[in-house]
Amino acid sequence: MLEASRVFSDYVRSSRDTKAPVIPRIDELDLTIPEKDGIGTAGIWDDIQTICGAATNTWSERFLYKLYASPTPIGVVGEALVGLLNNNAHVFQASPIGALIEDRVGRQLAELARFPVGTAAGLTFPGGSYSNMHALMVARNRRFPELKRSGFTGAMARGEWRRPMIFTSAHAHYSIEKAAVAAGIGLDNVVSVPTDADGRMDSHALRMLVERALADGGAPFFVNATAGTTVLGAFDPIDEIAAVCADHGLWLHVDGSWGGPLALFSSDDKFGGYRIDRADSLTVNPHKLMGVPLQCSFLLMRDGLAPMREALGLGASYLFHGGSPNVLDDVGDATMGCGRRPDAIKLWLAWRYYGTEYFRRRVANARRLALDFADMVSTRPPTALGHWRLAAAPQSMCVCFWFVPSQLGAHPTPQPSWGDATRLLCTRLNYLGHVLVDYAT
């Protein structure tokens, strides 16, 4: 343990050096698995040093890859603690402190979302994709409870069956489509809703598409709104979307994996006044904007965990012993899995260490940096090499821009060649290893 502390501290210190590469060159690596005796203590530390030297350096200020960065130091302590404890948070007795912390943090986040105090709750999942998938599965089984037992085949055999349909923005994360595949909904029943010029879902188009689906014999049941899209960082107009959902009895989920902390912690009216409380469920990823180590995602449920248990639970008696004198009910039966890391410990430790005001400052600083960078792009004068062009005003923390080489000329509107130049530029920058950036097509 002492040697690990020294090696890891040295790694962080060297990684923060301004000359440290972000993407190291990976030379010949010995990845063989010993057939007989292992390499022991002396050899394993060489391996660990090799891994550190070959890993992408998220601790560098030039690590500009999308949607996450280096964890906070207390976050690393929390990650080590979770590994040290090796508790399984599926039943209370296997991880009592983890269960209590998960319950407390989930309710605290739900309170910040202005969900009903006393009923709302949250659970951790290994990433926003899994949180989104569970929200969809719960909504599916609530709207079509027969699917839990008989599945689509049995339901269709009984007749009077209409195909389930979900709606999501054209700029939404692909995890919604992945969840539709996993839930048996199918990609053909995922309706892509157009967006406005800022990348926000067009609520008028949503209403039209829902009503058209109903007229065609479909069964709309789920709408995904995004708080912070992956590319433009857009916040879908939740009030208008919620009105459509209320009119047609649709489950409203908000994927706030990226921008959720802005809605929870920001004092800016644009985000602090975002009516996230109108959602039935909300995904938030503390491992993105909040600096908690990967992975830590929360699914917050407006009506608590009862809908999850009803939709997904099987009551396996060899695991979940109803009536046992636990402080909290077992939560594993409310999920699609069994093994569960008590990842809430990482967020709880960071929250205790820094306090709520730290996260308010953190999200405010992220927003300020985005606005400052966008202003720099907009006002930067052209050079002999080319000129900078802002793709759109930043909706939250994402800044999308082009650097247009001079040989491509000046055009008032974006050209396909700009995307080609951006792709080549990013590839070249990343190959050099001094910075890590990304592009969208």
Side-chain angles (χ1 to χ4, degrees):
M1 291 295 186
L2 290 176
E3 182 65 10
S5 175
R6 183 191 67 78
V7 170
F8 295 166
S9 295
D10 288 347
Y11 169 71
V12 173
R13 193 160 34 246
S14 63
S15 296
R16 285 180 162 172
D17 189 284
T18 56
K19 297 180 180 179
V22 179
I23 308 176
R25 297 292 177 89
I26 299 180
D27 299 319
E28 192 71 26
L29 298 177
D30 179 9
L31 302 179
T32 57
I33 305 297
E35 287 290 335
K36 295 182 178 179
D37 293 337
I39 60 177
T41 302
I44 206 65
W45 288 113
D46 289 339
D47 282 356
I48 290 172
Q49 297 273 18
T50 298
I51 291 172
C52 289
T56 299
N57 180 9
T58 63
W59 291 90
S60 171
E61 61 184 12
R62 288 169 283 109
F63 176 82
L64 302 173
Y65 211 61
K66 51 179 173 283
L67 307 191
Y68 78 107
S70 65
T72 59
I74 191 63
V76 176
V77 173
E79 180 67 41
L81 178 59
V82 170
L84 175 69
L85 298 177
N86 200 36
N87 281 190
N88 191 345
H90 64 328
V91 298
F92 181 83
Q93 290 178 331
S95 181
I97 186 61
L100 291 168
I101 288 175
E102 183 174 29
D103 177 73
R104 183 68 186 88
V105 174
R107 292 182 186 280
Q108 187 79 21
L109 290 170
E111 185 177 326
L112 289 172
R114 299 183 297 280
F115 281 177
V117 176
T119 58
L123 291 180
T124 60
F125 289 94
S129 294
Y130 286 93
S131 292
N132 291 338
M133 183 187 73
H134 277 77
L136 177 62
M137 292 294 290
V138 173
R140 188 202 72 165
N141 286 4
R142 170 173 273 199
R143 174 63 177 79
F144 308 100
E146 64 273 21
L147 295 182
K148 182 177 179 180
R149 178 163 296 278
S150 62
F152 286 102
T153 303
M156 293 173 69
R158 289 195 295 272
E160 297 185 2
W161 175 252
R162 296 191 302 164
R163 60 193 183 104
M165 301 179 69
I166 71 176
F167 299 77
T168 189
S169 147
H171 284 203
H173 191 263
Y174 77 99
S175 62
I176 302 302
E177 293 175 296
K178 289 273 192 177
V181 172
I185 305 298
L187 294 177
D188 287 346
N189 296 313
V190 179
V191 180
S192 179
V193 183
T195 63
D196 62 18
D198 292 324
R200 307 181 336 138
M201 182 190 290
D202 183 336
S203 60
H204 299 292
L206 171 66
R207 182 177 293 277
M208 181 189 69
L209 289 167
V210 168
E211 292 174 354
R212 180 185 299 168
L214 289 167
D216 291 343
F221 74 98
F222 182 91
V223 175
N224 172 72
T226 306
T229 56
T230 304
V231 177
L232 294 178
F235 276 58
D236 289 337
I238 192 168
D239 261 334
E240 300 165 18
I241 295 170
V244 177
C245 292
D247 288 345
H248 296 285
L250 312 180
W251 183 287
L252 175 56
H253 174 67
V254 173
D255 179 8
S257 298
W258 174 226
L262 270 175
L264 299 180
F265 293 100
S266 178
S267 58
D268 187 327
D269 288 342
K270 176 177 180 178
F271 305 109
Y274 191 68
R275 291 295 308 278
I276 213 163
D277 57 298
R278 300 197 63 180
D280 295 291
S281 53
L282 165 68
T283 293
V284 180
N285 283 4
H287 69 229
K288 291 185 175 177
L289 192 54
M290 297 175 70
V292 176
L294 288 160
Q295 294 166 309
C296 183
S297 176
F298 263 91
L299 174 61
L300 307 178
M301 301 292 290
R302 178 184 180 82
D303 296 328
L305 303 186
M308 299 185 72
R309 290 193 173 93
E310 181 181 355
L312 306 175
L314 298 177
S317 60
Y318 57 86
L319 279 177
F320 310 113
H321 308 310
S324 60
N326 295 333
V327 178
L328 294 172
D329 291 333
D330 300 330
V331 299
D333 206 27
T335 75
M336 294 292 291
C338 185
R340 300 183 69 245
R341 282 167 53 93
D343 284 324
I345 290 175
K346 297 184 289 188
L347 176 56
W348 181 81
L349 280 178
W351 213 334
R352 290 273 290 185
Y353 184 83
Y354 291 114
T356 302
E357 187 59 33
Y358 164 80
F359 291 117
R360 294 193 184 108
R361 293 194 304 269
R362 185 181 177 97
V363 299
N365 184 59
R367 173 64 173 162
R368 180 186 59 79
L369 289 173
L371 293 174
D372 288 349
F373 182 63
D375 184 63
M376 186 200 79
V377 170
S378 298
T379 59
R380 196 177 183 93
T383 69
L385 295 176
H387 67 278
W388 299 65
R389 181 76 172 268
L390 192 66
Q395 300 298 301
S396 53
M397 290 82 59
C398 300
V399 182
C400 296
F401 64 95
W402 295 279
F403 180 77
V404 184
S406 55
Q407 58 265 38
L408 295 182
H411 296 275
T413 57
Q415 303 295 306
S417 59
W418 296 6
D420 296 335
T422 297
R423 181 165 47 250
L424 291 172
L425 181 62
C426 287
T427 301
R428 179 59 178 169
L429 283 172
N430 292 342
Y431 174 77
L432 294 174
H434 300 302
V435 66
L436 179 57
V437 292
D438 203 6
Y439 62 90
T441 57

